[in-house]
Amino acid sequence: MKTPDLTILRGLWTRDKAADRVVPPAGYTVTLTLFSAGAMAFLAVFALALSLAAGRLADRWGDELARASTIRISAPAGQMAAQTEAALRVLQQTPGVAEARALSTEEQQALLEPWFGPGLPVEDLPVPQLIEVIEDGAGFDADGLRLRLQAEVPGAVLDDHTRWRQPLVTAAGRLRALGWVALVLLCGAVAAMVTLAANAALAANAQVIAVLRLVGATDGYIAGAFVRRFTLRSLTGAAVGTAAGLAALALLPSADDAGAVLTGLGLRGWHWVWPLFIPLLAALVAWLATEAAARRVLGGLA
């Protein structure tokens, strides 16, 4: 595989009017290149935002669920208060427990509201008492705590969220990977569209290329004209598409990192810098694709 010609790269920013006339300044190849680069950059902004948002959610879910546990107490109404006090007493004596508190009636009602609607009379229903347990850095021995609760608080069940945490973290991790895969596919689509446009432009200018060769123009000079024109077109289209994508992200409903995936899709902090590399990436892809196409077509015209 041939390495890219760096002399072409150095000539991207040096305008040569004679070389520029080799490439048609207008036509469907211009529209195709600008539109495809802009559309792919617009979609790449959302793919990147999705990947970064999924990464934030994976980190948050992993950290918070790993540090939090729940104790559920099911007991007759006359024994509920006593068993709750006994469970809190056990938790206060358990190494690794930083905080433990029984949820109030209003908090439990808020937890059930999405399923049963507002105004649920929790106090009149046999709803278990929930105790929120927060671990410290070292954590506690879950098996040992279960055995002690079984002995002292018969109606208590410890849920350390293990069965909930891993599927959520796995789902968020796969969503993040999907965002990066989408970004790679978009780069491939840009390369394909630029290659098609460059092939069409080279084929349409076959006679001009033959004349340039007769007067002494090298294939590197001719290829450089096409590479420069298509690279700058892709850079321009991708810059416009990236700006439109960032504007669309800014218009999304605001939400903190605790929000849902869709409402939390926006970028946070220094993550706003990442999309600025999308036009440069599109230009790099266009440069490589156009140079490969130019070498192939010019070799076939020899």
Side-chain angles (χ1 to χ4, degrees), residues 67-85:
R67 294 180 59 249
S69 302
T70 303
I71 292 179
R72 184 178 69 254
I73 300 177
S74 301
Q79 301 179 18
M80 185 69 76
Q83 291 205 28
T84 301
E85 290 295 330

Side-chain angles (χ1 to χ4, degrees), residues 8-75:
I8 294 178
L9 179 63
R10 288 193 294 268
L12 287 178
W13 313 113
T14 304
R15 184 174 183 182
D16 187 336
K17 294 182 179 181
D20 284 349
R21 284 196 293 269
V22 177
V23 187
Y28 74 94
T29 59
V30 177
T31 305
L32 178 63
T33 305
L34 291 173
F35 177 78
S36 60
M40 297 306 172
F42 182 85
L43 296 175
V45 171
F46 284 91
L48 182 62
L50 174 64
S51 181
L52 294 174
R56 292 195 304 269
L57 288 174
D59 295 339
R60 184 182 64 83
W61 287 342
D63 294 341
E64 292 187 3
L65 292 178
R67 294 180 59 249
S69 302
T70 303
I71 292 179
R72 184 178 69 254
I73 300 177
S74 301

Side-chain angles (χ1 to χ4, degrees), residues 151-175:
E152 301 186 30
V153 190
V157 177
L158 173 64
D159 182 4
D160 60 1
H161 300 164
T162 301
R163 60 174 178 168
W164 306 105
R165 180 174 67 250
Q166 190 56 44
L168 288 174
V169 174
T170 300
R174 289 178 179 174
L175 192 60

